Amino acid sequence: MSVTLENPSFAKAHEVFQGAQPNASLDSIRLSGVAGFNRLGLPTRRLEEWRYTNLKTIAKSEFQLSQPGLEKLGETEALPGLDAYSVTVRDGVFQSCSDSLPEGVSVVSLAQGHSLVSNVLGKLVESEDAMTALNTAFLEAGVVVHVAKGTSIEKPLHLDWVVSQGHENVALHPRLVVVLEDNAHLNIIETYRGVNESTYLNNIVSEIALGAGANLEHTKLQEESANASHLAQTYVQQNRDSQYRAHLFNLGAKIGRSAINLRLMEPGASCYLGGLYMIAKKQHADVYTKIEHVAPHCNSQENYKGILDDSATSVFNGYVLVQKEAQKTDSSQQNRNLILSKNATANTRPQLEIYADDVKCAHGATVGQLDEDQIFYMRARGISLEQARSELTYGFAMDVLSELKVEAASVYLEKNIREQLLNKPVNG
């Protein structure tokens, strides 16, 4: 393969990539990514989906190809006390699984296991998404998870994506492919971590296919470096009676964007998408969801919350599309934002597009501040102003944590959120 990636931010890195990562079996899909990104270019604010998210800093940078880590992150655990099958991907390099996996479960590197998921790899993605095309142009690193028909795993599978680079302007483009065959059950927890001050781009694409009756619990905790850009695109396709539950916690990165495109293809499929973005200083968090109801008798729920302090900005774009054949659809969507500073900004745009006539769909969004009556009530009982505001903010966040199925994840997030709130006086 010898083609040119025209964008100056990634052109040199791609030249190195082509020389260092030859893989004839992946060349055709990589070529489609190069052609797609050359045609689409880096997203700008002129695109409606990117209206509030500015990638100028990425456009002005020249990114290097990821190399094995120069600086260790340390020996800290991503989730203390978690009892799980654990896989670490360090700077894009797959590490072996920490324990032997049950029969029927395969977890391998993308380079080794792409043939195992050839019917899914590159098949679920959106052809008009530029960042997905860029990921495809660099397709090599990542993880394949395959669960055979009827297999149920007792412990969660923990994927720890670690960026340990010490130098500047490294870009990673990992791909996660998850296939659950009919009636398979799995709980995946993903953690994304980086060295505190490192500047890098983590451009992740996930493709998830759920067979009939399959059940996937999917938790993602994003705690990238304070100067990192985390751009994630997830594509999910569900068959009859399958269930998908996603929990997103966006706490890190300077720019964090998580997009999910989900299609309910056969009757009885259901999904829950929820989570929390908790940002401060000049952080920017963008959550984009698109749920397409293709078949009848499916249901979808969304519940995202945001807590913004200092000069942080957020975006929620939630789009539900109900096709003509998708009768008896039941869909609800909620986005609520709590503003702790006069300089923070939350943008929220829930949207419904319905072509069926026998459906139950609702959506709502709020942007507000703490309730002064509740603060007065707590202060009247001897609680300080700062403590009252922190406790009320903590209470606002807790219902999304109650949806988590893994106690270690819930405990860690609860502790993290409480420490951030209680150790910092809340602005008036």
Side-chain angles (χ1 to χ4, degrees), residues 305-325:
K305 285 188 169 183
I307 299 174
L308 291 80
D309 203 353
D310 303 325
S311 299
T313 57
S314 72
V315 187
F316 174 79
N317 262 309
Y319 173 42
V320 175
L321 172 61
V322 181
Q323 299 285 13
K324 185 177 180 180
E325 294 76 16

Side-chain angles (χ1 to χ4, degrees), residues 78-79 158-162 189-193 219-223:
L79 289 173
H158 176 207
L159 304 178
D160 192 17
W161 304 86
V162 179
I189 299 173
E190 291 187 84
T191 50
Y192 289 86
R193 304 187 288 155
T219 301
K220 176 181 168 182
L221 173 58
Q222 189 267 101
E223 291 185 298

Side-chain angles (χ1 to χ4, degrees), residues 5-20:
L5 202 59
E6 297 171 358
N7 187 289
S9 296
F10 305 100
K12 288 186 178 179
H14 196 253
E15 286 180 12
V16 176
F17 172 78
Q18 289 187 103

Side-chain angles (χ1 to χ4, degrees), residues 203 308 349-350 423:
N203 177 37
L308 291 80
R349 299 180 64 214
N423 291 337

Side-chain angles (χ1 to χ4, degrees), residues 77-140:
E77 293 181 85
L79 289 173
L82 177 64
D83 183 17
Y85 301 104
S86 181
V87 174
T88 299
V89 183
R90 183 180 289 275
D91 304 319
V93 179
F94 176 88
Q95 312 291 308
S96 60
C97 193
S98 65
D99 201 354
S100 57
L101 292 166
E103 186 177 352
V105 182
S106 299
V107 181
V108 295
S109 71
L110 181 73
Q112 292 177 324
H114 60 85
S115 60
L116 188 66
V117 292
S118 59
N119 60 331
V120 172
L121 180 62
K123 305 294 194 304
L124 306 187
V125 300
E126 169 59 59
S127 61
E128 296 302 305
D129 185 89
M131 300 312 297
T132 298
L134 182 63
N135 176 286
T136 302
F138 284 92
L139 191 64
E140 178 68 22

Side-chain angles (χ1 to χ4, degrees), residues 35-347:
F37 191 67
N38 283 344
R39 175 171 54 84
L40 296 166
L42 200 65
T44 70
R45 297 176 69 178
R46 284 178 293 182
L47 299 171
E48 194 62 29
E49 294 177 10
W50 292 85
R51 182 176 176 184
Y52 300 103
T53 298
N54 193 335
L55 299 186
K56 277 187 177 179
T57 55
I58 293 175
K60 292 178 180 177
S61 301
E62 183 179 295
F63 289 96
Q64 304 173 48
L65 197 62
S66 172
Q67 299 293 331
L70 302 178
E71 182 178 324
K72 291 186 177 181
L73 182 65
E75 301 303 323
T76 58
E77 293 181 85
L79 289 173
L82 177 64
D83 183 17
Y85 301 104
S86 181
V87 174
T88 299
V89 183
R90 183 180 289 275
D91 304 319
V93 179
F94 176 88
Q95 312 291 308
S96 60
C97 193
S98 65
D99 201 354
S100 57
L101 292 166
E103 186 177 352
V105 182
S106 299
V107 181
V108 295
S109 71
L110 181 73
Q112 292 177 324
H114 60 85
S115 60
L116 188 66
V117 292
S118 59
N119 60 331
V120 172
L121 180 62
K123 305 294 194 304
L124 306 187
V125 300
E126 169 59 59
S127 61
E128 296 302 305
D129 185 89
M131 300 312 297
T132 298
L134 182 63
N135 176 286
T136 302
F138 284 92
L139 191 64
E140 178 68 22
V143 179
V144 166
V145 179
H146 184 275
V147 184
K149 182 178 180 180
T151 301
S152 182
I153 307 173
E154 187 175 340
K155 293 196 297 186
L157 176 67
H158 176 207
L159 304 178
D160 192 17
W161 304 86
V162 179
V163 179
S164 61
Q165 304 290 345
H167 47 240
E168 299 295 296
N169 290 338
V170 167
L172 301 98
H173 306 276
R175 180 76 62 108
L176 171 65
V177 183
V178 180
V179 176
L180 268 61
E181 295 186 349
D182 294 355
N183 298 311
H185 292 198
L186 180 64
N187 188 339
I188 287 182
I189 299 173
E190 291 187 84
T191 50
Y192 289 86
R193 304 187 288 155
V195 176
N196 192 43
E197 300 299 329
S198 291
T199 301
Y200 58 88
L201 167 64
N202 207 349
N203 177 37
I204 310 108
V205 171
S206 302
E207 294 183 272
I208 298 170
L210 303 183
N215 186 325
L216 178 61
E217 191 85 13
H218 188 188
T219 301
K220 176 181 168 182
L221 173 58
Q222 189 267 101
E223 291 185 298
E224 302 273 24
S225 152
N227 293 318
S229 297
H230 177 98
L231 306 179
Q233 296 71 228
T234 300
Y235 300 89
V236 184
Q237 184 164 293
Q238 293 186 236
N239 288 344
R240 180 180 292 273
D241 297 326
S242 62
Q243 296 182 45
Y244 177 69
R245 292 174 56 82
H247 314 275
L248 167 68
F249 295 90
N250 188 343
L251 308 180
K254 188 173 183 178
I255 300 174
R257 186 175 195 269
S258 294
I260 182 165
N261 288 263
L262 189 147
R263 303 188 81 210
L264 300 160
M265 300 297 293
E266 295 182 348
S270 65
C271 69
Y272 167 85
L273 309 179
L276 173 73
Y277 39 91
M278 184 172 172
I279 51 177
K281 299 180 180 177
K282 293 185 178 180
Q283 283 183 284
H284 178 81
D286 183 342
V287 174
Y288 172 85
T289 67
K290 178 182 177 182
I291 299 175
E292 184 176 0
H293 284 260
V294 179
H297 298 283
C298 295
N299 68 72
S300 61
Q301 287 184 298
E302 290 184 80
N303 181 26
Y304 287 97
K305 285 188 169 183
I307 299 174
L308 291 80
D309 203 353
D310 303 325
S311 299
T313 57
S314 72
V315 187
F316 174 79
N317 262 309
Y319 173 42
V320 175
L321 172 61
V322 181
Q323 299 285 13
K324 185 177 180 180
E325 294 76 16
Q327 304 292 344
K328 303 294 182 183
T329 287
D330 188 347
S331 175
S332 66
Q333 183 186 81
Q334 285 288 335
N335 174 234
R336 285 172 282 178
N337 297 277
L338 184 58
I339 304 294
L340 302 178
S341 165
K342 293 177 181 177
N343 296 321
T345 303
N347 303 283

